[in-house]
Amino acid sequence: MNAAPTRRQFIAGLGACAAFPHLLRQSTKSLRLQFPFRVSVITDEISQDFGHACEIAANEFGMSWVELRGLWNKNILSLDAKEIAEAGRILDKFDLRVTDIASPLFKVDWPGAPKSKFSPATAQFNADFTFDQQGGVLDRCISLAKSFRTERIRCFDFWRLDDQAPYRVPMNRMLLDAASKAGAQGLTLLLENEPACNTATGDEAAKVLASIPSPNLFLNWDPGNAATLGERPYPDGYQRLPKERIGHCHCKDAKKKPDGSGYDWAPVGGGEIDWTGQFRALQRDGYHLGLSLETHWHGAATPEESTRQSWAGMKAQLQKATKP
């Protein structure tokens, strides 16, 4: 049996890594977690300091992937060329790849419809774009996807209406046109089910996907979002979904408020979603793409600590679900 290295030997080894940085990168990468998914975190759930967020994701959480939404108190669409280059250097430094561009595409009111009660008075995630600007938003997303070497762009389907039926056909046509434009560039759109938008649950997502049989439009399945509208996301919502059209997944948890008036976010494992069952089902159904922690719960002292606690719960359930 080999003896454990002495403290002096251990420090000498660190010195060798410092002298040869590629050894340090290889050593760090060898500690990355191995799951059948592209396990990642939306970096601004940790910090707006992109370098710090990437360091936590890679070196503490053991991830090889991240999802990009906000960096340095800017929406990703607002980054300038120098900031994009700096973000790329940081990703390379920590050997991280990008699952997708978490854009705000189509998170706007539908023109001609009654104003949605979910339409925010101020910008969300530092994104403030009008309906007329959505063509430019899509072009910018395509450019960013290429810059960050990812083939996926997250989108929505407009602020939620009490009655979306009169507008659903043109909404679907716009989604199809956008997916076709992305597809011509070798990219894929990911429609997120979002409670403030017209597709919020697994049931609604299944209907929209059936109406838009595009090879370039997939679902960003978010069980936490579905739960907040009263759907049991797993197994009920998930059972309705075309499994081959799931192109990304967000991981957060939710639980009913004590008075029954709605839901609050919770750390993963601390809410009502059967994440172990969901992870097992995804693996069983051959899913192997992005699985991003989107904490949203702010119950700890800081966003970083909240995300750290939520990651601990997510990791535990992943390990339980995927063990041999």
Side-chain angles (χ1 to χ4, degrees), residues 34 39 152 185 208 255 257:
Q34 300 297 316
V39 178
R152 293 170 189 269
Q185 299 293 322
V208 170
K255 60 182 179 181
K257 293 181 179 181

Side-chain angles (χ1 to χ4, degrees), residues 2 44 78 89 96 106 121 142 159 172 193 207 216 252 269 272-273 289 292 302:
N2 293 330
D44 62 27
S78 300
R89 285 191 290 270
L96 289 168
F106 299 144
I142 290 172
W159 295 122
N172 289 351
N193 60 291
K207 292 174 182 176
N216 307 116
K252 54 179 176 277
E272 299 175 10
I273 298 172
L289 298 169
S292 292
T302 63

Side-chain angles (χ1 to χ4, degrees), residues 13-318:
L14 290 179
C17 286
F20 300 96
H22 68 283
L23 295 179
L24 183 59
R25 288 197 297 270
Q26 290 174 357
S27 175
T28 300
K29 201 166 187 178
S30 69
L31 299 176
R32 300 291 171 88
L33 297 171
Q34 300 297 316
F35 289 114
F37 315 113
R38 298 174 180 177
V39 178
S40 68
V41 61
I42 301 179
T43 60
D44 62 27
E45 295 282 352
I46 300 172
S47 173
Q48 288 288 340
D49 180 337
F50 186 61
H52 179 67
C54 286
E55 181 179 16
I56 295 295
N59 295 348
E60 180 180 336
F61 293 177
M63 296 175 177
S64 297
W65 299 80
V66 289
E67 183 172 347
L68 306 185
R69 180 177 60 198
L71 300 79
W72 302 302
N73 294 306
K74 285 187 174 183
N75 186 274
I76 188 170
L77 269 67
S78 300
L79 298 182
D80 61 31
K82 289 184 178 180
E83 290 165 330
I84 292 171
E86 176 61 15
R89 285 191 290 270
I90 291 170
L91 291 167
D92 288 344
K93 175 182 177 181
F94 292 105
D95 289 307
L96 289 168
R97 298 174 64 187
V98 176
T99 58
D100 65 300
I101 303 300
S103 85
L105 180 64
F106 299 144
K107 212 171 191 183
V108 292
D109 283 300
W110 183 258
K115 189 173 181 64
S116 171
K117 62 186 178 184
F118 294 96
S119 181
T122 58
Q124 288 193 331
F125 301 106
N126 296 307
D128 189 14
F129 302 98
T130 67
F131 178 86
D132 291 339
Q133 292 175 310
Q134 294 307 295
V137 168
L138 177 57
D139 289 341
R140 178 65 170 161
C141 289
I142 290 172
S143 175
L144 286 166
K146 293 181 177 181
S147 293
F148 288 109
R149 300 190 295 277
T150 182
E151 75 281 4
R152 293 170 189 269
I153 299 166
R154 188 267 303 271
C155 71
F156 300 91
D157 67 343
F158 313 98
W159 295 122
R160 192 170 183 86
L161 298 170
D162 291 336
D163 181 12
Q164 61 180 278
Y167 314 99
R168 193 65 248 183
V169 169
M171 286 178 183
N172 289 351
R173 187 179 304 117
M174 181 163 280
L175 286 170
L176 176 59
D177 289 346
S180 298
K181 185 171 183 177
Q185 299 293 322
L187 305 174
T188 296
L189 285 190
L190 303 166
L191 174 63
E192 179 170 343
N193 60 291
E194 154 67 49
C197 292
N198 287 299
T199 294
T201 63
D203 182 59
E204 290 176 343
K207 292 174 182 176
V208 170
L209 291 171
S211 299
I212 313 174
S214 168
N216 307 116
L217 181 69
F218 285 72
L219 176 66
N220 178 12
W221 174 228
D222 191 318
N225 284 348
T228 64
L229 283 195
E231 182 179 70
R232 186 170 66 161
Y234 181 82
D236 298 356
Y238 182 73
Q239 287 178 343
R240 297 181 174 92
L241 299 177
K243 309 306 183 287
E244 73 281 1
R245 298 284 299 278
I246 300 175
H248 192 68
C249 186
H250 278 168
C251 185
K252 54 179 176 277
D253 217 333
K255 60 182 179 181
K256 288 182 181 178
K257 293 181 179 181
D259 63 3
S261 63
Y263 284 78
D264 286 323
W265 300 123
V268 177
E272 299 175 10
I273 298 172
D274 179 7
W275 275 110
T276 299
Q278 178 68 89
F279 293 150
R280 284 175 177 158
L282 287 167
Q283 184 177 21
R284 177 199 68 209
D285 294 332
Y287 182 78
H288 62 276
L289 298 169
L291 184 64
S292 292
L293 174 61
E294 186 185 24
T295 311
H296 271 26
W297 172 71
H298 296 144
T302 63
E304 178 178 326
E305 182 57 29
S306 296
T307 299
R308 181 175 287 111
Q309 292 183 26
S310 203
W311 166 238
M314 178 179 172
K315 179 182 174 182
Q317 297 205 41
L318 274 167

